[in-house]
Amino acid sequence: MTVTRRTILGSAVAASALALPSVKARAAGKPLTIGVCSDFSGTYSDVGGNTSVACVQQALADWGAAAKGYDVTVIKGDHQNKPDVGAGLARQWFDNGVDLLIDVPNSAVALAIAGVAAAKNKAYINTNAATSALTGPKCNANTIHWSYDTYMLSHSTGGAMVAAGGKSWFFITADYAFGHLLRDQTTAVIKAAGGTVVGGVAYPFPQTTDFSSFLVQAQSSGAQVLGLANAGKDTVNSIKQAHQFGITQSGMKIAGLLIYCNDIHGMGLDIAQGLVLTESFYWDLNDKTRAFTKRVLPRTPNNYPSMAQAGCYSGTTHFMKAVDTMGLDAANKSGAAIIAQMKKMPTSDDAFGECSVREDGRFMCPSYLFRVKTPAESKYPWDYYNLIHTSSAEQTFAPLATEGCPLVKA
């Protein structure tokens, strides 16, 4: 059996959904369909998009799906960073036989799709949105949250900046669910450490590309730290423009609360050097991460996998193991049953190592605090990070009892 790939572009969501055939009826062997719902053209396309698709395909190849008799179709769709578009695409995919929906950058879209997955009783693995609400008040039995969340970012990067002496902050925040939650959780960390927030501004998302007026406000605030509660190209543009304004040269520190290695590549080491950031995956972390990256790069030669994209690899691998363990007939009956099986089994793959999935759907993995190298320290392509500190999964994520997930019994 072969692993096949079907491409459906979500820029024409309604048309593509209507045209989507019953893929299971056409497939031979043990058919499954995985839908990669992502940002293929906007702010988050470098940390999701086609590299996420490549990581799903690599997971199927490495696990040996075809050799085990599975005929897996991988489709993709662009949610355009709009919750209604994402929810509509998910609803139509699930109605047409999609077994797993994965990736989904943008917290507002992620939360909308979580509701659809629960209503349709389908499996949903989010690897690319930050909001910790997915395993908190908005958790459900059909959703797993992989890779990272706002709690991890605020406590690791935010905590490190405060510990280094950055006691007064000014925030520039993407004005939607993700930005608000990341700002608020980091503010709690700052205040708990005796620091203060002297000001901030929320900007329209995703249409903002010029951050100059916000940077002027930050500079005039007198804060020691500029906190960026945004991500993707917004973070890259913010830091590049801060460099042009001389903000970092004047001594103000920048806390990019969600930065991927792809962002460092986009802004260059001459600008990014010295930034402190947190990731749960880095391609050059150990022999296994390097081996995984070497295998997947031919599918995505111009973009190394981020932690969110590596999460697509890890999540797909674990999904396939769960389906194979419980049997395809049982898996076809209930997405919640697949997720329950995934929670029973330890995870193991080259991207994240040996990990687990908690009762609330939280993928439990270590996190790593990095400092970005100087140009002189970087010796080969994408050689960007020095490891500062490793936190265990229990140190990385919020305690189960404090998340507020209704699946967790007191």
Side-chain angles (χ1 to χ4, degrees):
M1 302 297 172
T2 58
V3 178
T4 59
R5 174 176 180 266
R6 181 184 305 278
T7 299
I8 297 175
L9 295 175
S11 56
V13 173
S16 67
L18 291 172
L20 180 64
S22 176
V23 288
K24 286 189 176 181
R26 296 172 51 166
K30 294 186 281 188
L32 286 167
T33 304
I34 298 175
V36 181
C37 182
S38 195
D39 177 351
F40 287 89
S41 57
T43 303
Y44 303 137
S45 56
D46 287 345
V47 297
N50 287 320
T51 303
S52 293
V53 176
C55 287
V56 169
Q57 293 170 329
Q58 191 62 49
L60 297 171
D62 286 356
W63 185 71
K68 292 180 172 71
Y70 289 89
D71 191 334
V72 185
T73 300
V74 179
I75 64 174
K76 66 178 184 180
D78 192 337
H79 60 46
Q80 303 171 37
N81 286 302
K82 298 176 180 177
D84 58 334
V85 172
L89 183 61
R91 192 174 296 110
Q92 291 160 342
W93 274 4
F94 288 147
D95 286 345
N96 283 279
V98 169
D99 300 283
L100 168 67
L101 194 150
I102 195 166
D103 198 24
V104 194
N106 188 310
S107 292
V109 181
L111 290 167
I113 289 178
V116 176
K120 298 291 184 181
N121 193 17
K122 291 289 188 174
Y124 169 41
I125 301 175
N126 187 290
T127 73
N128 212 336
T131 177
S132 58
L134 284 168
T135 53
K138 301 297 184 182
C139 82
N140 64 52
N142 294 76
T143 300
I144 293 177
H145 194 193
W146 224 267
S147 307
Y148 72 102
D149 69 7
T150 48
Y151 181 96
M152 167 186 128
L153 301 170
S154 60
H155 284 71
S156 181
T157 305
M161 295 297 292
V162 175
K167 296 292 187 181
S168 62
W169 288 55
F170 184 97
F171 280 100
I172 295 178
T173 303
D175 192 11
Y176 76 108
F178 150 68
H180 297 171
L181 187 57
L182 185 55
R183 177 199 59 200
D184 294 347
Q185 290 181 338
T186 306
T187 296
V189 172
I190 295 165
K191 291 183 176 179
T196 183
V197 177
V198 301
V201 60
Y203 67 86
F205 176 87
Q207 60 266 40
T208 301
T209 57
D210 182 358
F211 293 87
S212 57
S213 63
F214 313 133
L215 292 166
V216 170
Q217 293 180 57
Q219 196 168 28
S220 63
S221 73
Q224 296 170 309
V225 180
L226 169 59
L228 297 176
N230 56 13
K233 291 183 174 67
D234 286 4
T235 300
V236 173
N237 287 333
S238 298
I239 294 175
K240 280 184 172 180
Q241 291 170 25
H243 189 75
Q244 292 166 358
F245 273 75
I247 288 179
T248 49
Q249 297 91 324
S250 69
M252 190 178 197
K253 303 295 184 184
I254 294 180
L257 297 169
L258 176 51
I259 299 180
Y260 303 91
C261 62
N262 320 71
D263 300 327
I264 303 302
H265 187 73
M267 67 181 82
L269 289 180
D270 55 333
I271 292 176
Q273 59 183 305
L275 286 173
V276 173
L277 57 91
T278 304
E279 297 216 53
S280 58
F281 166 86
Y282 173 47
W283 76 270
D284 204 11
L285 188 65
N286 56 52
D287 288 345
K288 289 187 175 180
T289 58
R290 285 187 284 271
F292 155 66
T293 303
K294 184 178 180 179
R295 292 195 301 273
V296 77
L297 275 182
R299 302 176 188 269
T300 176
N302 298 317
N303 195 33
Y304 279 48
S306 67
M307 62 177 167
Q309 292 155 337
C312 288
Y313 173 84
S314 178
T316 298
T317 300
H318 198 54
F319 170 82
M320 293 304 301
K321 290 178 180 177
V323 169
D324 197 52
T325 297
M326 65 195 297
L328 189 59
D329 289 343
N332 280 334
K333 294 177 181 176
S334 170
I338 300 172
I339 296 298
Q341 182 64 43
M342 294 176 73
K343 293 177 181 177
K344 293 178 184 176
M345 303 165 56
T347 73
S348 178
D349 59 75
D350 282 355
F352 289 86
E354 314 296 317
C355 300
S356 63
V357 181
R358 206 167 59 180
E359 183 180 355
D360 59 349
R362 174 74 261 154
F363 174 64
M364 298 294 289
C365 63
S367 66
Y368 308 97
L369 187 68
F370 296 106
R371 179 174 287 108
V372 178
K373 292 183 173 181
T374 66
E377 290 176 310
S378 180
K379 303 301 182 187
Y380 41 84
W382 292 74
D383 175 25
Y384 292 150
Y385 294 165
N386 284 317
L387 179 63
I388 301 173
H389 180 72
T390 300
S391 297
S392 68
E394 289 71 26
Q395 294 169 326
T396 295
F397 297 105
L400 184 61
T402 66
E403 287 269 78
C405 172
L407 296 175
V408 179
K409 298 177 182 177

